Amino acid sequence: MSKVHPNSPKNYTIIGQGLAGSLLAYMLIQEGQKVQIYDSPDIPSSSKIAAGIYNPVTGKRLVKTWLADKLFPFLEEFYPKLETDLKAKFFHPVPIFHPFPDTATQKFFKSDHVADDFSDFATAEFENIYRKGIVNSTLGGIAISHTGWVDLKVMLAAFREYFLERGVLVEKAPPAPRGGAFPFDLESKVPPLGAEGASVLIYCQGFESTKNPYFNYLPFNPVKGEILDINIPKFDIQEIINQGVFVIPLGGNQYRLGATYTWDELDNIPTETGKSSLTEKYQKLMKPSMEILSHQAGVRPATKDRRPFIGMHPEFENIGIFNGLGSKGVSLAPYFAKQFVDFLVYQKELHSEVNINRFASLYLGVK
Ligand SMILES: Cc1cc2nc3c(=O)[nH]c(=O)nc-3n(C[C@H](O)[C@H](O)[C@H](O)COP(=O)(O)OP(=O)(O)OC[C@H]3O[C@@H](n4cnc5c(N)ncnc54)[C@H](O)[C@@H]3O)c2cc1C
């Protein structure tokens, strides 16, 4: 049941029904706000390509990620409730095993102070017991908990149904009123969607926002990623294996193998280079042979300071953005969609490291 907000609800227009736009729209509806979403099937979506992994311990030295103590308890409660509400199954808690690539890394993780650092999320194992026929390393590794993957394709399809049933989703780019190139009506400084005082426009366009004249001053650092769906016959791997590349069990003999990171040719076209890079890394990490079933590419909406872009435009106060989820959308989006809704509806503070007001001087500089 959605709440009825004590103040009069506002009209929110959301551009984009990816991970960011879907969660924001859903939480606004829960707060009794009026929502309309525009999503163009012709514009690529990072969420539909993503592997959907959430993992609180990352990086070469396997350290706890930023705000892990807040983000992970939140998402572990949020997604199962969402599954019930959307009547779909997309949340897959699965452990991640991170084999040690060499003895130096193994030695590093044997020291006590390192173990203390992340003991609530991970434990070190110094031999591979049942994984001997699966991974090439015999040195052991780190077993990480509070991990898994969200099947974003299934989740977004369920959200689409949910929004269509409520009549809030329009499956095309937004219209262009006054003959202008809506939604980019910067010249006339006319608020988009007409002068309805209470209307708020939030862009959740992912990588496309780099072309949005309202927000292209923000320091995006988009990263292309490629991913393969593969078949590994005769093996039943029950965890995500992650070292240089990840291998996610999808059920049956199917697995997802990813991902590449490239900062040029920012498009959604799979390449031979991407495919060979993933195949080579797979062969280094894993023992069983595999066959490729499909190959996809997308662009992650990453940012230079590796923090999301959330908040309102420095000049047009009824225009906002929820973006910059980079390669960690699944972990960041639930917590920060809630925080953004609390900001929009209850005027609560946004975390200073995500609020786009940290770049106001860049906007004033480019104007
Ligand atoms: C190969 C790869 C692997 C990844 N793996 C992971 C992972 O394991 N874990 C993880 O957390 N993240 C992962 N990510 C990142 C993840 O995809 C993003 O963090 C997240 O999905 C971004 O969501 P978004 O809603 O901001 O953007 P998008 O998903 O790109 O959504 C934007 C939406 O806006 C629409 N749109 C844009 N402009 C307009 C317009 N003018 N009019 C109408 N509609 C518009 C688009 O059609 C799209 O539907 C991966 C990404 C890639 C490419």
Side-chain angles (χ1 to χ4, degrees), residues 57-78:
V57 180
T58 58
K60 224 174 179 176
R61 289 295 191 199
L62 295 178
V63 288
K64 248 198 246 182
T65 57
W66 179 66
L67 285 186
D69 295 319
K70 288 199 159 57
L71 302 181
F72 286 78
F74 192 91
L75 76 84
E76 285 177 332
E77 201 180 321
F78 174 76

Side-chain angles (χ1 to χ4, degrees), residues 16 19-20 39-40 43 46-47 50-53 174 205-206 300 326-330:
L19 174 63
D39 185 76
S40 167
I43 300 176
S46 175
S47 308
I53 294 179
Q205 294 172 280
R300 304 170 183 90
S327 56
K328 297 194 173 129
V330 165

Side-chain angles (χ1 to χ4, degrees), residues 70-363:
K70 288 199 159 57
L71 302 181
F72 286 78
F74 192 91
L75 76 84
E76 285 177 332
E77 201 180 321
F78 174 76
Y79 286 114
K81 279 192 188 153
L82 185 63
E83 285 190 318
T84 309
D85 213 9
L86 298 184
K87 300 180 189 68
K89 177 87 196 115
F90 44 79
F91 184 62
H92 302 282
V94 191
I96 295 184
F97 182 67
H98 202 293
F100 294 128
D102 48 50
T103 44
T105 314
Q106 187 198 46
K107 200 170 158 206
F108 174 79
F109 279 97
K110 274 188 171 161
S111 58
D112 288 345
H113 74 278
V114 177
D116 286 350
D117 232 22
F118 59 63
S119 54
D120 44 347
F121 282 112
T123 47
E125 293 175 15
F126 295 105
E127 57 178 324
N128 293 322
I129 309 148
Y130 84 93
R131 304 177 189 92
K132 276 184 181 148
I134 295 173
V135 296
N136 279 321
S137 163
T138 53
L139 300 170
I142 301 291
I144 310 171
S145 54
H146 301 281
T147 49
W149 66 288
V150 173
D151 192 331
L152 290 177
K153 266 189 205 141
V154 172
M155 189 184 93
L156 291 187
F159 261 133
R160 178 176 173 270
E161 291 300 320
Y162 177 93
F163 295 134
L164 286 173
E165 271 168 26
R166 284 159 182 76
V168 300
L169 174 62
V170 183
E171 296 190 272
K172 59 179 184 187
R178 296 182 203 93
F182 178 90
F184 308 133
D185 203 1
L186 264 188
E187 290 298 302
S188 62
K189 296 201 174 178
V190 173
L193 311 178
E196 299 159 45
S199 72
V200 180
L201 173 65
I202 311 282
Y203 288 101
C204 303
Q205 294 172 280
F207 168 60
E208 276 292 304
S209 271
T210 57
K211 300 174 203 157
N212 180 331
Y214 289 112
F215 291 109
N216 62 2
Y217 70 92
L218 291 171
F220 281 96
N221 186 23
V223 192
K224 179 170 176 175
E226 298 188 42
I227 201 159
L228 301 174
D229 276 3
I230 59 172
N231 194 27
I232 309 179
K234 293 186 229 146
F235 283 87
D236 183 18
I237 306 168
Q238 300 279 355
E239 60 193 349
I240 298 171
I241 313 270
N242 186 7
Q243 169 57 250
V245 281
F246 55 75
V247 180
I248 309 174
L250 302 180
N253 291 328
Q254 281 202 29
Y255 296 82
R256 190 154 290 151
L257 167 66
T260 61
Y261 285 77
T262 46
W263 283 263
D264 49 10
E265 292 176 33
L266 295 172
D267 55 37
N268 59 340
I269 302 169
T271 65
E272 280 308 312
T273 317
K275 194 199 277 182
S276 350
S277 157
L278 290 171
T279 308
E280 277 162 31
K281 285 184 178 160
Y282 174 87
Q283 282 159 353
K284 201 168 156 214
L285 174 66
M286 302 285 287
K287 282 200 166 130
S289 59
M290 60 93 170
E291 57 175 1
I292 296 170
L293 302 173
S294 64
H295 181 190
Q296 287 185 291
V299 183
R300 304 170 183 90
T303 67
K304 289 224 164 101
D305 68 357
R306 296 161 151 254
R307 296 289 177 261
F309 290 158
I310 307 176
M312 306 313 285
H313 190 275
E315 186 175 4
F316 303 97
E317 59 184 29
N318 63 341
I319 302 178
I321 187 165
F322 183 36
N323 206 320
L325 298 176
S327 56
K328 297 194 173 129
V330 165
S331 349
L332 293 165
Y335 182 83
F336 282 111
K338 168 79 170 72
Q339 200 173 96
F340 198 20
V341 168
D342 284 346
F343 167 90
L344 292 164
V345 179
Y346 300 106
Q347 295 78 49
K348 289 195 186 166
E349 289 269 310
L350 277 176
H351 193 296
S352 59
E353 286 182 69
V354 305
N355 194 330
I356 56 162
N357 67 9
R358 69 195 189 277
F359 299 115
S361 60
L362 287 183
Y363 177 74

